């Protein structure tokens, strides 16, 4: 098959959906399929790397963040024409796989309607939660992007409502299959009214971890986790919905002695550094920034625990699963992610307000560090370790592809 991926952001940029697209492409190509990834043209340091890979079809774009990590492409007739002309030089497309929620999703559905090919749409984003966490006047923003979406999407069944679920439903009713990267997000989508054009349910296909890298890092890490001061890793984009700042406040309040490494970059990085300087926690905090994915896995394998602090935003939460696959437990704030992991975790109790949540996180940090020092850290689920391999995730997605191409219901 020739499969056309559509993303909101370039796969070389930072983010769980981008990592997932890179892995899916690699494993589909191993199986003999052709994958073309359509995304906004990257800027800055990513531009050269993207240009060297013929599998990327980059559309004209403008950067949308000060660090130029992310970019935006405006959907419409001009973009359609550029895309069609570029694809005319490639093999015929058999299937569109939309892995986007905004401009990439609109561009992908417009193309699928023109080409008459089936569409699989993977929903990676709790649109409502993300907008509430990062933008002022979220209700007005949701109404605005809903109107924008409806003005650009091809004809389809009407969807009532102006909230985040209605927004996602407008993509779903134009899709032959909808997938979600976790059981909890799939059920939330269905509860929100999200169904496919054939009124089918949401398929659950986890994002995965590269089999080869997993095996390599496991071999490298075998027997190397040393005793001593506990090592904690926080990993993600440094932005409000990921809740790094509340973690740093909780770390200071906890009084624990640990080596803490923050991996990632984003708009709150400078604020995070200032907070550590002000609070002066007993733990040492190192801001490593962005590093290659293999080095991320090595850091996770060497850590005594990962700290995951976002709440209600993650549609899967890649990092706790990556850590679990490497034998590392997680301090988990999101109850949905905790339920999906099942084992190998310390769950942070809920709090009535932001300050209470900080105190609950501080309490959990003290408990986790004490367990690590006593040699009583929990062990991740064997189910997660094996099911999270990308080879099994690609096989599951291919089942969805073959089903929609054959026109079979879910």
């Amino acid at each position: 098959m020739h499969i056309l991926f559509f993303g909101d952001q370039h796969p070389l940029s930072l983010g769980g959906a981008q990592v997932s697209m890179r892995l899916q492409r690699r494993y589909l190509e191993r199986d003999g399929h052709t994958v073309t990834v359509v995304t906004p043209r990257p800027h800055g340091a990513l531009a050269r790397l993207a240009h060297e890979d013929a599998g990327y079809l980059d559309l004209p774009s403008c950067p949308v963040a000060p660090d130029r990590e992310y970019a935006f492409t405006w959907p419409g007739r001009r973009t359609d024409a550029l895309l069609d002309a570029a694809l005319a030089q490639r093999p015929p497309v058999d299937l569109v796989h939309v892995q986007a929620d905004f401009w990439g999703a609109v561009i992908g559905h417009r193309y699928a309607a023109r080409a008459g090919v089936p569409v699989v749409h993977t929903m990676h984003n709790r649109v409502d939660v993300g907008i509430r966490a990062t933008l002022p006047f979220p209700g007005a923003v949701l109404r605005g992007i809903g109107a924008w979406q409806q003005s650009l999407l091809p004809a389809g069944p009407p969807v009532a409502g102006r909230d985040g679920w209605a927004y996602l439903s407008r993509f779903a009713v134009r899709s032959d299959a909808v997938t979600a990267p976790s059981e909890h997000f799939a059920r939330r989508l269905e509860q929100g009214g999200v169904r496919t054009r054939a009124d089918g349910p949401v398929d659950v296909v986890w994002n995965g971890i590269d089999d080869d890298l997993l095996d390599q890092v496991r071999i490298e890490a075998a027997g190397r986790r040393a005793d001593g001061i506990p090592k904690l890793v926080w990993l993600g984009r440094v932005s409000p919905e990921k809740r790094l700042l509340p973690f740093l406040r909780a770390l200071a309040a906890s009084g624990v002695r640990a080596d803490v490494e923050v991996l990632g970059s984003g708009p709150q990085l400078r604020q995070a550094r200032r907070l550590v300087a002000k609070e002066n926690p007993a733990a040492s905090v190192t801001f490593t920034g962005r590093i290659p994915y293999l080095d991320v896995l090595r850091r996770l394998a060497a850590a005594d625990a990962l700290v995951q602090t976002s709440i209600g935003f993650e549609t899967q939460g890649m990092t706790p699963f990556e850590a679990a696959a490497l034998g590392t437990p997680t301090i988990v704030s999101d109850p949905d992610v905790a339920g999906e992991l099942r084992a190998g975790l310390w769950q942070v109790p809920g709090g009535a307000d932001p300050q209470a949540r900080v105190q609950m996180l501080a309490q959990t940090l003290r408990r986790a560090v004490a367990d690590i020092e006593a040699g009583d850290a929990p062990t991740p689920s064997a189910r997660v370790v094996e099911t999270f391999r990308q080879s099994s995730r690609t096989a599951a997605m291919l089942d969805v592809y073959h089903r929609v191409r054959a026109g079979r219901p879910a």
Side-chain angles (χ1 to χ4, degrees):
M1 286 183 285
H2 180 194
I3 303 151
L4 205 57
F5 282 4
F6 286 85
D8 284 324
Q9 299 303 332
H10 201 280
L12 295 177
S13 64
L14 187 66
Q18 292 92 299
V19 170
S20 176
M21 279 198 291
R22 293 201 304 266
L23 281 178
Q24 289 175 52
R25 176 192 168 194
R26 185 184 309 163
Y27 277 75
L28 285 166
E29 289 177 342
R30 282 188 183 184
D31 279 355
H33 305 287
T34 299
V35 179
T36 299
V37 185
V38 181
T39 63
R41 181 175 297 138
H43 298 264
L46 297 182
R48 179 182 55 81
L49 295 174
H51 181 71
E52 294 171 354
D53 191 328
Y56 296 134
L57 201 168
D58 300 332
L59 298 171
S61 71
C62 59
V64 294
D67 60 6
R68 301 171 70 84
E69 179 84 16
Y70 301 129
F72 166 82
T73 293
W74 186 266
R77 293 177 183 174
R78 180 173 179 270
T79 296
D80 294 345
L82 290 170
L83 176 59
D84 291 348
L87 288 172
Q89 309 303 315
R90 301 186 183 222
V93 174
D94 297 293
L95 181 138
V96 162
H97 188 167
V98 173
Q99 306 209 44
D101 300 285
F102 299 104
W103 43 92
V106 173
I107 295 166
H109 279 279
R110 286 172 68 98
Y111 174 79
R114 291 195 307 279
V117 295
V119 185
V120 174
H121 192 139
T122 295
M123 295 187 170
H124 289 282
N125 195 337
R126 273 292 302 269
V127 170
D128 53 343
V129 175
I131 287 174
R132 282 201 303 269
T134 57
L135 295 172
F137 311 111
V141 171
L142 276 169
R143 290 191 295 273
I145 66 167
W148 168 84
Q149 175 199 42
Q150 291 179 81
S151 73
L152 289 165
L153 278 177
V159 174
R162 297 187 292 182
D163 61 6
W165 302 120
Y167 177 84
L168 294 174
S169 291
R170 292 188 195 100
F171 292 128
V173 297
R174 292 166 171 82
S175 304
D176 298 279
V178 172
T179 77
S182 68
E183 183 73 32
H184 71 260
F185 188 47
R187 302 294 79 83
R188 285 186 183 276
L189 287 167
E190 290 174 349
Q191 290 163 11
V194 174
R195 307 283 288 185
T196 69
R197 73 168 99 228
D199 199 33
V202 177
D203 290 285
V204 179
V205 183
W206 284 7
N207 297 324
I209 189 171
D210 190 313
D211 298 38
D212 299 338
L213 292 185
L214 175 59
D215 293 337
Q216 175 185 339
V217 174
R218 279 179 174 173
I219 291 169
E220 292 175 355
R224 281 174 47 191
R225 189 171 292 166
D227 294 332
I229 188 165
K231 295 178 174 58
L232 310 180
V233 169
W234 187 98
L235 168 62
R237 180 158 176 82
V238 184
S239 52
E241 74 280 3
K242 296 293 187 177
R243 299 183 68 247
L244 173 61
L245 301 185
F247 164 60
L248 296 174
R249 293 189 185 98
L251 182 67
S254 72
V256 300
R257 295 190 176 276
D259 288 333
V260 177
E261 186 172 23
V262 175
L263 302 177
S265 62
Q268 288 191 317
L269 186 57
R270 184 177 299 178
Q271 190 177 353
R273 291 180 185 274
R274 289 199 302 264
L275 179 59
V276 170
K278 176 184 176 184
E279 298 287 346
N280 192 26
S284 67
V285 180
T286 302
F287 292 92
T288 302
R290 178 177 175 170
I291 60 176
Y293 183 58
L294 176 58
D295 291 333
V296 169
L297 296 180
R298 286 169 171 154
R299 296 294 212 287
L300 289 176
D304 293 294
L306 169 73
V307 183
Q308 185 266 346
T309 47
S310 62
I311 300 173
F313 175 75
E314 306 295 342
T315 55
Q316 178 185 15
M318 282 281 286
T319 54
F321 289 86
E322 289 166 329
L326 294 163
T328 301
T330 300
I331 299 165
V332 184
S333 297
D334 190 313
D336 286 335
V337 175
E340 203 95 7
L341 281 171
R342 299 187 182 181
L345 61 100
W346 296 271
Q347 184 169 352
V348 181
D353 55 60
Q355 184 55 38
R357 287 193 285 272
V358 166
Q359 292 304 316
M360 291 296 100
L361 179 53
Q363 175 184 311
T364 307
L365 286 168
R366 287 191 288 268
R367 186 172 76 249
V369 166
D371 287 347
I372 292 166
E373 291 175 335
D376 291 332
T379 302
S381 162
R383 165 183 168 269
V384 170
V385 172
E386 291 309 314
T387 309
F388 198 57
R389 286 179 174 270
Q390 184 58 45
S391 54
S392 75
R393 303 301 83 218
T394 297
M397 191 63 78
L398 280 168
D399 287 344
V400 177
Y401 289 172
H402 293 314
R403 188 186 78 217
V404 300
R405 290 193 70 207
R408 300 193 305 271

